Amino acid sequence: MQPQQPSTLAPTPTSYEQPGTRTRTVVLSLIAGLVLGAGGMGAAWAMNTDSDAPVAGGTPAADARAACEALSGFDPEKYTAKGPAGEVAFNRYGAAGALSAAAAAGDPAYKELAQTISRSQNRQARVFDFDATVKKDLDRAREICRAL
């Protein structure tokens, strides 16, 4: 009978995370999912609404005008409201971002509009509030819209 060799287990690397890192990652992932989902839902909503003036579909200019229309009806005070008012605000904000991004993808002339709205959405998602920086970006986006 042969003597058994003692089994040696290879040491496993240990990773140490700072407390709260996993929670923060999950929360940020959820926020990103909500913002992207809102953008998609908002874009679908904006494209399916009736308008007094027909918009030439499928052009960057039409997307930019639709983004501006969604933004003009957006009220940050209602963003966290429960019920239809909150849903409208949430979706209009998302639609403005999605449509401005579509406009910028089709024509670089709309890049500033898309970047400004995106910057406001990203900041709002980080601070969970419409602080002065977010409002400044929204005001700038509305200025850009008035110039279109």
Side-chain angles (χ1 to χ4, degrees), residues 55-68 99 102-104 106-107 109-110 113 148:
V55 177
T59 66
D63 289 339
R65 284 191 302 272
C68 290
L99 289 165
D107 185 342
Y110 302 110
L113 175 64
L148 291 181

Side-chain angles (χ1 to χ4, degrees), residues 29-104:
S29 297
L30 287 172
I31 291 169
L34 286 172
V35 169
L36 291 173
M41 290 299 294
W45 169 82
M47 290 180 195
N48 288 323
T49 58
D50 292 330
S51 175
D52 293 340
V55 177
T59 66
D63 289 339
R65 284 191 302 272
C68 290
E69 186 175 331
L71 191 60
S72 74
F74 170 64
D75 182 359
E77 299 297 321
K78 294 181 181 175
Y79 187 78
T80 57
K82 297 205 183 289
E87 290 177 31
V88 167
F90 183 81
N91 286 315
R92 284 188 180 182
Y93 194 37
L99 289 165
S100 66

Side-chain angles (χ1 to χ4, degrees), residues 6-12:
S7 112
T8 57
L9 296 174
T12 57

Side-chain angles (χ1 to χ4, degrees), residues 116-128:
T116 305
I117 293 173
S118 177
R119 194 170 44 246
S120 76
Q121 290 175 328
N122 291 336
R123 169 76 181 175
Q124 191 279 330
R126 279 194 313 273
V127 299
F128 298 103

